[in-house]
Amino acid sequence: MEKNTNIYPIFEQMLQRSDREQLLRQKSVMIWFTGLSGSGKSTLAIALERELYKRGFLTRILDGDNIRSGINNNLGFSEADRTENIRRIAEVSKLFVDCGIVTIAAFISPTRAIRHMAREIIGKDDFLEVYVSTPLEECEKRDVKGLYKKARKGEIRDFTGVSAPFEAPLHPFLEIDTSCHSLEESVKILLEAIEAKIKFVP
């Protein structure tokens, strides 16, 4: 597919990321939660967002609910569609990070290749991969949406952790097992890990 040659780049004329970070008095990053369904990704993302808000940081959460009901509502769950789902998420995330916003994503993103693609789009230095390593047994025990039960019955095909693999990150920025830590403890661990990354230094 040929790239559109009619697009005239104006990037150098636009305000830069550093200008926006100075305005917001914060440094922007992408905090990418990955893990099995039910591991606690979205719960952690929401709790982290609330805590950062209290501390005066501007954030944006991206997860399956607000992405698949909008920009990606034309995608299914085939391998190609899942890859395109993450590609679009990464491109949107890159725009948020460029706006100086602390961006938080919560997606299963089961393969190392798909997360590598996201990292390459967003930028290696801005991509903080947080592996929510809650064991499958605990995730299945929680099963808030009843998805594991349906997967075990064969009603859901290619379900990560049951009929499709999950490739754990080899070198995540941070690893949290929510079966070992309370929500409060997990958020504290997260804040301590990212504080230096988002603190604005004039």
Side-chain angles (χ1 to χ4, degrees), residues 66-144:
N66 62 20
I67 290 295
R68 281 200 177 266
S69 63
I71 192 172
N72 286 353
N73 66 4
N74 66 323
L75 298 178
F77 291 91
S78 66
E79 185 176 346
D81 279 1
R82 288 180 191 225
T83 299
E84 177 61 11
N85 181 51
I86 296 298
R87 189 194 70 79
R88 291 185 195 177
I89 291 163
E91 292 288 1
V92 170
S93 299
K94 183 179 179 180
L95 294 175
F96 276 116
V97 171
D98 188 56
C99 283
I101 297 169
V102 177
T103 310
I104 304 168
F107 295 95
I108 295 173
S109 44
T111 67
R112 296 184 188 115
I114 213 167
R115 295 191 301 269
H116 177 75
M117 176 186 67
R119 183 186 292 109
E120 288 295 304
I121 291 170
I122 294 164
K124 294 178 182 179
D125 294 337
D126 296 322
F127 190 90
L128 308 182
E129 185 179 49
V130 178
Y131 174 32
V132 186
S133 59
T134 309
L136 173 62
E137 295 75 20
E138 177 63 24
C139 295
E140 195 162 356
K141 194 184 301 180
R142 295 173 182 175
D143 202 14
V144 179

Side-chain angles (χ1 to χ4, degrees), residues 55-68:
R55 298 177 183 218
F57 289 95
L58 179 63
T59 63
R60 175 73 252 190
I61 290 180
L62 301 174
D63 69 3
D65 289 336
N66 62 20
I67 290 295
R68 281 200 177 266

